[in-house]
Amino acid sequence: MKVLVIGGGAREHALCRSLSLDPDVTALHCAPGNAGIAEVAELHPVDQLDGEAVARLAAALHSDLVVVGPEAPLVAGVADAVRAAGIPCFGPSGEAATLEGSKAFAKDVMAAANVPTARSYVCTTPAEIDEALDAFGAPYVVKDDGLAAGKGVVVTDDVEAARAHALACDRVVIEEFLDGPEVSLFAITDGVTVLPLQPAQDFKRALDGDEGPNTGGMGAYSPLPWADPKLVDEVMASVLQPTVDELRRRGTPFSGLLYAGLAITSRGVRVIEFNARFGDPETQVVLARLKTPLAGVLLHAANGTLDAQPPLAWRDDAAVTVVVASHNYPGTPRTGDPIEGLDEVADLDAPHAYVLHAGTRRDGDAVVSAGGRVLSVTATGADLAQARERAYTAVGRIRLDGGQHRTDIARGAAQAQA
């Protein structure tokens, strides 16, 4: 199987790493990729928002499967263009990807499918914003209706900060605050059959102790030793299958990766948000634990034959990933700083720990930072404590001027597991 992955972040590096280990994959390509992905896949320049350009590249490479990683190309309809060219594609149509592209659309789908979620108001005027903020009170949860690369949500006790964020958005969803721990659960679907993966937890805040601004995610771990063993079955029955069924009923079947961001509240499971693609950084730890070869599963989803896929096999190992971010992230990040220590991790920590590149590029012989989240240092172990120790040992070998990372990823869960 010849596979083309679209994107250039750590999620795509994780996908490419898994695909490169799949014996059925005979050729692996990525566009545009990054410095780390270049070690496992052949890179190609492409405008990843240009569906026709992506389809032409896929045809020229004789691709048997295209995997679209990021949300922006999906919402832009890139998967539609690839499928129109007769090439199997893993990723929802542009219309179905509106589930992530519009928080208001997602709320409408959930209401129709009777999926449990936070009570909310969709606001477009200052008066509506003030009314919604007053109705719910603090803590205030304010979400940009459109795509915002994981940074469109503000959760604050400061009503002025909440109002300022809301006024900066054309259309905003204001909702009740959901108490309890958060869980990310991915499911692969062909629009009918739904195949859940293992749950993970990510860390959105920039600083230790869940302080600081929201980010795209500063680390993640899996499994969740504190979670109810029946959680996946419950979410399948109350969230994932009803959502897929409702989208199919509307004539916009969802085929690809459905990501449910969940809160385990005192009143039960509630959906915080849906995404239409693998989440970053949770993908890094979920795929580290997946034993079943990945390409065949994705191809079944793309071809509408997921009911023929045998049950997924999982490693007993735990996995932890720690994001190394650039100076000033999640503000305007500084880029172009040399990254050192990558060879040391490869020499000293493999195979239990490895580095997945997010925002990197080659500058001559050097690898330099090229984005806010620069690396995802990922490790596996017999339990979370061992995976965590291995991840942070590898992080300690990385040298990036101004680089920052959280020191408490999976700490609480590891202590609970001990």
Side-chain angles (χ1 to χ4, degrees), residues 236-315:
M236 269 289 292
S238 66
V239 174
L240 297 170
Q241 191 72 57
T243 299
V244 169
D245 291 346
E246 171 62 19
L247 286 165
R248 186 176 69 254
R249 187 191 67 77
R250 291 175 178 225
T252 55
F254 187 105
S255 169
L257 195 290
L258 178 59
Y259 164 135
L262 309 165
I264 313 301
T265 77
S266 54
R267 294 174 292 133
V269 173
R270 297 288 186 272
V271 175
I272 300 169
E273 65 174 351
F274 282 125
N275 290 332
R277 39 76 194 180
F278 281 101
D280 184 344
E282 300 98 318
T283 302
Q284 289 84 303
V285 292
V286 172
L287 292 185
R289 300 186 56 228
L290 179 64
K291 192 185 293 184
T292 301
L294 183 62
V297 185
L298 303 185
L299 186 62
H300 271 310
N303 284 336
T305 54
L306 199 58
D307 58 346
Q309 172 64 42
L312 298 178
W314 296 92
R315 297 184 178 87

Side-chain angles (χ1 to χ4, degrees), residues 55-116:
R56 283 195 301 272
L57 175 62
L61 296 172
H62 305 288
S63 303
D64 300 302
L65 174 67
V66 174
V67 180
V68 182
E71 58 272 28
L74 290 168
V75 173
V78 167
D80 301 271
V82 173
R83 279 192 279 267
I87 301 167
C89 185
F90 182 81
S93 67
E95 199 171 357
T98 308
L99 194 67
E100 175 169 4
S102 168
K103 302 288 189 297
F105 175 76
K107 288 289 187 183
D108 186 61
V109 170
M110 284 188 273
N114 202 27
V115 169

